[in-house]
Amino acid sequence: MSAKVYRPENWSGLPLESESAQLVGGRCLSCDKVFFPRFNACPSCASRKPMAEVRLSSRGSLYSYSVIHVNSPGFKAPYAVGYVDLPEGPRVFGHLDGWQNGPVTLDTPVEIYAGPIGKGRDGEELISVRFRPLAAERKSAGGA
Amino acid sequence: MANLREVSVIGVGMSRFAKQPEVSIVDLTQAPILDALEDAGVAVGQVQAAYSGSVFGGSSLGQKVLKGIGISSIPILNLENACSSGSSAFREAWLGVASGMYDVSLAFGAEKLTALGGGAFPLSDDIEADQGVLMPAVYAMRARRHMMEYGTTIEQLAKIAVKNHHNSVHNPRAQYQREYTLEEVFNSRMIADPLTILHCCPSGDGAAAVVLAATECSSRLRGKPVKVRASVLQSGLFKNDFRDMTKSDLSYRAAAAAYEMAGLGPEDVDVAEVHDAFTIGELMYYEALGFCAPGDGGRLIDEGATEIGGRIPVNPSGGLLSKGHPVGATGVAQIVEIVNQLRGNCGPRQIAGARIGLTHCTGGGVAGFDHIACTIHLFEQ
């Protein structure tokens, strides 16, 4: 089965091979604000200096999520999506594990890793951001 | 602010909102425009500028629609602004007259969603849409957070669907026209947890049109004028980091601007059409529009305050949830309802003595935004 990484420039390491791959954001060299993903110009101060790459934390806090029960192009239901806030500031969108075991508590800490999220519109397995709840971690690791 | 002339809506028209795949978007849109012109007593030759709002209607829709009903060679603007496309077209039509550039203008909105095959509103060219987010899931995430922070319940949200379906029974233009019980809302198909399909507006086709004129000219025209007291268009504030998803900052900002422009407050509003694409949306916008305090939306519903006959009736037309949401047509259709309410033309769903009406239309799913656009209009009879 072929697989590809969604926007590989957003990762350090090799997300297909390593669970230790980390998200990479950008720090504005003029105003110091951190963004994910990187932008061509700073959305905060409009500086055009190329952003410095910054490795983002692998842990964050689950702000909210929803389990989607309808298929959409490339994504087979049910699947859960959510937002996680990182200590560096950015809020990251990704797919959530662990919801099959019952409701996941909001504000719970999650681990961020690269994993399959569905098939893209071209039918290839897509690797991107996934969240694994830490507080809800159970013996049978009900994740991806 | 610049010296703006007072503008009135003098004619309104709208199609039935429904799945009507057999009708072309041009045919669907011409009839309500002609109805609005007839209502206004305005001949096609008197329309000095026209504004067409649509998301999926394709290029040059305005000219395609208008050429067959005797309107061409005037300024025509084709406008896309997500769910606020129609209301943004109205806002430009208002500005054209308020500025003194024109005396009479036309705004319409049109959409044929059955041409897209149905399902959730398609998002595209976006980092989150690429990864499988859907609009119902965005609202579902807001709902889950609102429930956690304020104790809002799924029953309170479901009551909004029940209310709006109850209202549309008396609206012959509405897509649904039947009552639903709380149990039916709970037991309908799950779309994006915790929202079942009856928490979501349907997909369909429709068009709506209004004729505007300078109030100083409107006495010479036949249509019964309803004054535009405020017209506000704002766009979302981009944020890459924390956002409180229980508060629509864009709608709060637009509401404050609209009330200031009109010199009115939420307590003055007698009837409102609010963007209820999802039940949680209506509840959050109660708070943004100042109909209750932040976090108190659930209590407002429990009190029955937003029912017809309540303190601040919301969506007597049935709203997007029941009247339907042909995206580009929605904002104009809201204005049609409010004008009809203020003229006292709404029959069994009439709000008695309504004098001040409000329309609120917001939408667009792009990563980093609450929504891309929001329009709020205030009207006075």
mmCIF file of all heavy atoms in Angstrom, chain A residues 7 14 16 18 23 37 46 48 55 57 79 87 89 108 126 130 137 139:
data_model
loop_
_atom_site.group_PDB
_atom_site.id
_atom_site.type_symbol
_atom_site.label_atom_id
_atom_site.label_comp_id
_atom_site.label_asym_id
_atom_site.label_seq_id
_atom_site.Cartn_x
_atom_site.Cartn_y
_atom_site.Cartn_z
ATOM 1 N N ARG A 7 1.765 17.327 3.605
ATOM 2 C CA ARG A 7 2.638 18.480 3.860
ATOM 3 C C ARG A 7 3.885 18.110 4.665
ATOM 4 O O ARG A 7 4.044 18.524 5.830
ATOM 5 C CB ARG A 7 1.864 19.610 4.547
ATOM 6 C CG ARG A 7 0.711 20.112 3.669
ATOM 7 C CD ARG A 7 0.230 21.480 4.095
ATOM 8 N NE ARG A 7 -0.929 21.890 3.295
ATOM 9 C CZ ARG A 7 -1.527 23.075 3.379
ATOM 10 N NH1 ARG A 7 -1.098 23.972 4.215
ATOM 11 N NH2 ARG A 7 -2.558 23.370 2.616
ATOM 12 N N LEU A 14 11.407 11.479 10.054
ATOM 13 C CA LEU A 14 10.738 10.782 8.960
ATOM 14 C C LEU A 14 9.429 10.204 9.485
ATOM 15 O O LEU A 14 9.411 9.142 10.083
ATOM 16 C CB LEU A 14 11.636 9.662 8.417
ATOM 17 C CG LEU A 14 12.924 10.143 7.751
ATOM 18 C CD1 LEU A 14 13.883 8.980 7.554
ATOM 19 C CD2 LEU A 14 12.612 10.797 6.415
ATOM 20 N N LEU A 16 7.061 8.634 8.317
ATOM 21 C CA LEU A 16 6.632 7.312 7.880
ATOM 22 C C LEU A 16 7.319 6.210 8.657
ATOM 23 O O LEU A 16 6.825 5.101 8.761
ATOM 24 C CB LEU A 16 6.906 7.139 6.386
ATOM 25 C CG LEU A 16 5.899 7.820 5.464
ATOM 26 C CD1 LEU A 16 6.346 7.713 4.021
ATOM 27 C CD2 LEU A 16 4.525 7.208 5.632
ATOM 28 N N SER A 18 9.244 6.875 11.795
ATOM 29 C CA SER A 18 9.601 7.149 13.177
ATOM 30 C C SER A 18 8.446 7.775 13.931
ATOM 31 O O SER A 18 7.869 8.771 13.490
ATOM 32 C CB SER A 18 10.805 8.088 13.198
ATOM 33 O OG SER A 18 10.912 8.684 14.468
ATOM 34 N N LEU A 23 6.390 17.903 14.941
ATOM 35 C CA LEU A 23 5.888 18.990 14.099
ATOM 36 C C LEU A 23 6.884 20.145 14.108
ATOM 37 O O LEU A 23 7.519 20.429 15.133
ATOM 38 C CB LEU A 23 4.549 19.506 14.626
ATOM 39 C CG LEU A 23 3.339 18.612 14.378
ATOM 40 C CD1 LEU A 23 2.111 19.223 15.057
ATOM 41 C CD2 LEU A 23 3.087 18.436 12.890
ATOM 42 N N PRO A 37 1.073 26.089 10.524
ATOM 43 C CA PRO A 37 2.385 25.865 9.906
ATOM 44 C C PRO A 37 3.145 27.180 9.708
ATOM 45 O O PRO A 37 2.659 28.233 10.113
ATOM 46 C CB PRO A 37 1.993 25.268 8.548
ATOM 47 C CG PRO A 37 0.641 25.852 8.251
ATOM 48 C CD PRO A 37 -0.036 25.996 9.571
ATOM 49 N N ALA A 46 3.662 41.043 9.654
ATOM 50 C CA ALA A 46 3.855 41.199 8.208
ATOM 51 C C ALA A 46 5.323 41.211 7.790
ATOM 52 O O ALA A 46 5.638 41.560 6.654
ATOM 53 C CB ALA A 46 3.120 42.430 7.666
ATOM 54 N N ARG A 48 8.656 40.042 6.229
ATOM 55 C CA ARG A 48 8.888 39.119 5.122
ATOM 56 C C ARG A 48 10.157 38.297 5.314
ATOM 57 O O ARG A 48 10.532 37.529 4.429
ATOM 58 C CB ARG A 48 8.946 39.900 3.806
ATOM 59 C CG ARG A 48 7.604 40.518 3.475
ATOM 60 C CD ARG A 48 7.660 41.424 2.285
ATOM 61 N NE ARG A 48 7.872 40.682 1.049
ATOM 62 C CZ ARG A 48 7.824 41.243 -0.157
ATOM 63 N NH1 ARG A 48 7.586 42.534 -0.265
ATOM 64 N NH2 ARG A 48 8.027 40.528 -1.232
ATOM 65 N N ARG A 55 11.062 23.330 16.331
ATOM 66 C CA ARG A 55 10.421 22.049 16.657
ATOM 67 C C ARG A 55 9.398 22.266 17.748
ATOM 68 O O ARG A 55 9.686 22.841 18.783
ATOM 69 C CB ARG A 55 11.476 21.061 17.157
ATOM 70 C CG ARG A 55 12.317 20.513 16.045
ATOM 71 C CD ARG A 55 13.162 19.375 16.578
ATOM 72 N NE ARG A 55 13.997 18.843 15.520
ATOM 73 C CZ ARG A 55 14.359 17.571 15.437
ATOM 74 N NH1 ARG A 55 13.976 16.711 16.376
ATOM 75 N NH2 ARG A 55 15.112 17.161 14.459
ATOM 76 N N SER A 57 6.423 21.143 20.548
ATOM 77 C CA SER A 57 6.226 20.156 21.603
ATOM 78 C C SER A 57 5.400 18.967 21.099
ATOM 79 O O SER A 57 4.496 19.120 20.288
ATOM 80 C CB SER A 57 5.514 20.822 22.778
ATOM 81 O OG SER A 57 5.161 19.858 23.734
ATOM 82 N N TYR A 79 -14.727 8.789 12.207
ATOM 83 C CA TYR A 79 -13.393 9.244 12.599
ATOM 84 C C TYR A 79 -13.546 10.508 13.433
ATOM 85 O O TYR A 79 -14.553 11.211 13.322
ATOM 86 C CB TYR A 79 -12.489 9.486 11.389
ATOM 87 C CG TYR A 79 -12.958 10.540 10.406
ATOM 88 C CD1 TYR A 79 -12.462 11.849 10.455
ATOM 89 C CD2 TYR A 79 -13.898 10.234 9.416
ATOM 90 C CE1 TYR A 79 -12.876 12.820 9.543
ATOM 91 C CE2 TYR A 79 -14.316 11.201 8.509
ATOM 92 C CZ TYR A 79 -13.814 12.485 8.574
ATOM 93 O OH TYR A 79 -14.233 13.448 7.682
ATOM 94 N N PRO A 87 2.070 24.226 23.920
ATOM 95 C CA PRO A 87 2.647 25.198 24.859
ATOM 96 C C PRO A 87 3.306 26.384 24.150
ATOM 97 O O PRO A 87 3.367 27.475 24.709
ATOM 98 C CB PRO A 87 3.698 24.379 25.634
ATOM 99 C CG PRO A 87 3.709 23.027 25.052
ATOM 100 C CD PRO A 87 2.586 22.866 24.089
ATOM 101 N N GLY A 89 2.070 27.949 21.729
ATOM 102 C CA GLY A 89 1.039 28.877 21.265
ATOM 103 C C GLY A 89 0.117 28.314 20.215
ATOM 104 O O GLY A 89 -1.107 28.352 20.392
ATOM 105 N N THR A 108 -7.740 17.420 28.350
ATOM 106 C CA THR A 108 -6.880 16.300 28.676
ATOM 107 C C THR A 108 -5.559 16.447 27.900
ATOM 108 O O THR A 108 -5.562 16.951 26.771
ATOM 109 C CB THR A 108 -7.629 15.004 28.299
ATOM 110 O OG1 THR A 108 -7.514 14.060 29.324
ATOM 111 C CG2 THR A 108 -7.175 14.389 27.012
ATOM 112 N N LEU A 126 -2.973 8.668 3.712
ATOM 113 C CA LEU A 126 -2.409 9.964 4.074
ATOM 114 C C LEU A 126 -1.888 9.900 5.515
ATOM 115 O O LEU A 126 -2.604 9.460 6.416
ATOM 116 C CB LEU A 126 -3.529 11.007 3.969
ATOM 117 C CG LEU A 126 -3.220 12.397 3.474
ATOM 118 C CD1 LEU A 126 -2.452 12.396 2.173
ATOM 119 C CD2 LEU A 126 -4.528 13.168 3.305
ATOM 120 N N ARG A 130 -1.880 13.107 14.408
ATOM 121 C CA ARG A 130 -2.825 12.362 15.244
ATOM 122 C C ARG A 130 -2.561 12.705 16.710
ATOM 123 O O ARG A 130 -1.444 13.059 17.092
ATOM 124 C CB ARG A 130 -2.676 10.844 15.038
ATOM 125 C CG ARG A 130 -3.081 10.354 13.652
ATOM 126 C CD ARG A 130 -3.441 8.873 13.690
ATOM 127 N NE ARG A 130 -4.623 8.639 14.486
ATOM 128 C CZ ARG A 130 -5.858 8.539 13.970
ATOM 129 N NH1 ARG A 130 -6.054 8.590 12.670
ATOM 130 N NH2 ARG A 130 -6.883 8.351 14.767
ATOM 131 N N GLU A 137 -5.255 6.885 28.497
ATOM 132 C CA GLU A 137 -4.533 5.733 27.975
ATOM 133 C C GLU A 137 -4.924 4.463 28.749
ATOM 134 O O GLU A 137 -4.917 4.424 29.967
ATOM 135 C CB GLU A 137 -3.024 5.965 28.118
ATOM 136 C CG GLU A 137 -2.250 5.397 26.955
ATOM 137 C CD GLU A 137 -0.853 5.983 26.888
ATOM 138 O OE1 GLU A 137 -0.211 6.063 27.949
ATOM 139 O OE2 GLU A 137 -0.429 6.368 25.786
ATOM 140 N N LYS A 139 -4.977 -0.042 28.930
ATOM 141 C CA LYS A 139 -4.093 -1.194 28.694
ATOM 142 C C LYS A 139 -4.098 -1.600 27.228
ATOM 143 O O LYS A 139 -3.080 -1.895 26.630
ATOM 144 C CB LYS A 139 -4.530 -2.368 29.558
ATOM 145 C CG LYS A 139 -4.147 -2.206 31.010
ATOM 146 C CD LYS A 139 -4.750 -3.331 31.856
ATOM 147 C CE LYS A 139 -4.819 -2.952 33.325
ATOM 148 N NZ LYS A 139 -6.174 -2.698 33.795
#
